[in-house]
Amino acid sequence: MFTQQFLQTQLASRIRAARAGHDTEALDAQPLTAERMAELAAEAASATTTVTVVLRRFEPRIYAESVLGYALSLPDPLREAWLRAYTRTVFLTGNPANLATRFDFHHTSRDGSMAWTAPDDSGERSPLRRLLRLFPTAGLPALPARLEVSATASPERDPHAPVRRARLYAVTTRVSLAAYLVHVHHVLAEAVITKLIDEHTRLTIHHVPQLDPSDGPFDMLRVVPDADADASGDGPETAGPGRLRACAGLSLGGGVRALT
């Protein structure tokens, strides 16, 4: 399992990337105590830039495919701002087809069951947030152990370009459906933004009880505060405040790049 020290380093690395050179010396100078980890997590959670996703239903293959299509469709200025803003994703229950005339969706899944807005800073004030309910925080349904997903069927894709391979390991233990949506969304979107995944990538998703370092090396890890620190999780250290866990990891055979 990953040690807590390793996960703390990954979390700090993600904060450093978001700051893009601003105050990184101060970040490096402060010890990664439990209190400091809580401060960093709160900083990320306070983000106001938001992407809103409306879902009529959840289907894991369509969802992953659509996240990739959405991220690939973002113009460069929005992609560059994504990491800097700790962009949040909010999931709402609704039928995109019934909302298309009232709201300007940036991307819609090929089956019409899911639709994404472009990132903005409306947050809780979003008209969609006022109209629709949050997607249910239910238990994670049974998921296939393995899924094959193509990044996109974009007309810009070169049919003769070599296919790239990527593996996403998504944790299913102590993860709600709402949390799963967030974890997968952030890993895949930021993998596109940082050019680890492109329109020629063939993605394999593995649903696993927990991440195992032997499945790596991981090019990205999503590290989050452990909401249930009394339960067994990542690292052999004693559970307690400030404990972290890795909920998703992307592997292309390179080094680790952190993600929160």
Side-chain angles (χ1 to χ4, degrees), residues 147 170 204 236:
L147 282 175
T204 302

Side-chain angles (χ1 to χ4, degrees), residues 55 58 88-93 129 133-141 174-183 227:
L55 299 95
F58 168 68
R88 299 173 60 228
T89 311
V90 175
F91 297 90
L92 306 177
T93 299
R129 288 292 304 272
R133 294 175 297 174
L134 289 172
F135 198 73
T137 306
L140 194 61
R174 296 193 292 120
V175 174
S176 67
L177 174 55
Y180 174 91
L181 293 173
V182 172
H183 298 329

Side-chain angles (χ1 to χ4, degrees), residues 220-258:
M220 274 192 171
L221 285 176
R222 176 163 170 80
V223 178
V224 300
D226 194 340
D228 187 7
D230 292 331
S232 61
D234 292 302
E237 297 88 340
T238 303
R243 185 178 177 83
L244 303 171
R245 69 184 303 220
C247 287
L250 184 75
S251 178
L252 300 121
V256 175
R257 187 179 304 180

